[in-house]
């Protein structure tokens, strides 16, 4: 089976081979380094000057990428760690996103900003965050996240097809995981571009979980424990598009919904999902939508302390058990 990092690398190779207007920019993306997580390995050797290793300036990288997109090409910008995307905030929100509509007519800005996110690798406070929430609600900007169930090539095509800048988050713990791999207890299907994971042969779930790509395996671990140890059946929905929040399938009969988000609470993606779901599900739920977020604190480098801050499978399980008790 193919690892997520290898799958992303192949998708980039295929994309740049099929579309000569695509450029890739970022720190150390050229060979022999091939990016901090080797996702861009081999691209500079094949595509020459269309792949550029840049100076250490996230604002400049995002600005050049947006300029290429505004001029009619397509650009993929790699931010080495998603934490550093804050340094490109102005170029993304005030130049790229606004350029789609501030010139008196719609202007396509085919720009994808790749952001490796998340902790659980011991990288410490400034290399382990999930900054998705800081970009929710920006006009002209869409947010996506890689999952082990979605084809990266199709996601790149979809993002470029929108004609607006997109942030593409890739949780670092996924890079070494296998694509499309789940426990034998579960089945996976894609419904309207949302991955739906269910207990094989089970009926109506006791709870429907919604999460983003980087939390898939921790959430599946919680689902397994809830089934085998608590006799609670859960279903999992994993959208690749984070914002605008897509219509999530299979919720009409859900007695309870729990949204799991590895970012901190307060203006979070989890709360945005809940806001989108309440008008649709009001009167059907047995209680308020449960939100699970990381703790309000910096992320330590020490593994045992890092686990106390970030969302783990046991905290997901505890939240579901409490909500259904």
């Amino acid at each position: 089976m193919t690892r997520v990092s290898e799958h992303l690398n192949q998708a980039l190779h295929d994309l740049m081979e099929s579309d000569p207007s695509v450029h890739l920019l970022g720190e150390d993306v050229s060979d022999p380094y091939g990016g901090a997580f080797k996702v861009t390995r081999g691209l500079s050797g094949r595509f020459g000057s269309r792949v550029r290793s840049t100076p250490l300036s996230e604002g400049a990288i995002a600005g050049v990428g947006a300029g290429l997109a505004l001029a009619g090409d397509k650009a993929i910008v790699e931010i080495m760690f998603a934490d550093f995307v804050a340094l490109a905030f102005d170029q993304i929100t005030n130049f790229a996103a606004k350029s789609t509509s501030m010139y008196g007519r719609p202007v396509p800005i085919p720009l994808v900003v790749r952001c490796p996110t998340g902790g659980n690798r011991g990288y410490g406070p400034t290399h382990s965050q999930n900054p998705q929430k800081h970009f929710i609600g920006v006009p002209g900007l869409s947010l996506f996240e890689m999952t082990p169930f979605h084809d990266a090539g199709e996601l790149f095509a979809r993002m470029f097809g929108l004609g607006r800048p997109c942030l593409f988050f890739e949780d670092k713990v996924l890079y070494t995981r296998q694509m499309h791999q789940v426990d034998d207890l579960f089945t996976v299907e894609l419904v309207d571009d949302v991955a739906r994971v269910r207990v094989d042969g089970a009926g109506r779930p006791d709870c429907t979980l919604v999460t983003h790509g980087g939390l898939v395996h921790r959430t599946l671990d919680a689902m397994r424990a809830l089934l085998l140890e608590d006799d609670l059946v859960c279903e999992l929905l994993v959208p690749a598009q984070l914002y605008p929040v897509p219509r999530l399938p299979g919720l009409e009969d859900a007695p309870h919904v729990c949204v799991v988000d590895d970012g901190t609470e307060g203006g979070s993606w989890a709360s945005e999902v809940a806001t989108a779901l309440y008008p649709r599900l009001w009167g059907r739920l047995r209680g308020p939508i449960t939100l699970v977020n990381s703790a309000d604190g910096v992320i330590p480098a020490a593994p045992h302390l890092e686990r106390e801050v970030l969302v783990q499978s046991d905290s997901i399980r505890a939240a579901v058990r409490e909500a259904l008790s």
Side-chain angles (χ1 to χ4, degrees), residues 29-50:
V29 295
S30 298
D31 293 325
Y33 197 60
F37 303 101
K38 312 309 174 189
V39 174
T40 60
R41 179 181 289 166
L43 291 171
S44 63
R46 288 188 66 189
F47 304 108
S49 62
R50 289 166 55 202

Side-chain angles (χ1 to χ4, degrees), residues 12-76:
L12 289 170
H13 275 271
D14 293 344
L15 175 64
M16 297 195 72
E17 182 177 24
S18 64
D19 189 344
S21 69
V22 175
H23 299 260
L24 187 141
L25 311 170
E27 298 164 10
D28 295 325
V29 295
S30 298
D31 293 325
Y33 197 60
F37 303 101
K38 312 309 174 189
V39 174
T40 60
R41 179 181 289 166
L43 291 171
S44 63
R46 288 188 66 189
F47 304 108
S49 62
R50 289 166 55 202
V51 178
R52 296 288 183 117
S53 285
T54 65
L56 306 183
S57 174
E58 285 73 18
I61 302 166
V64 170
L68 284 166
L70 183 63
D73 284 329
K74 300 181 181 74
I76 298 174

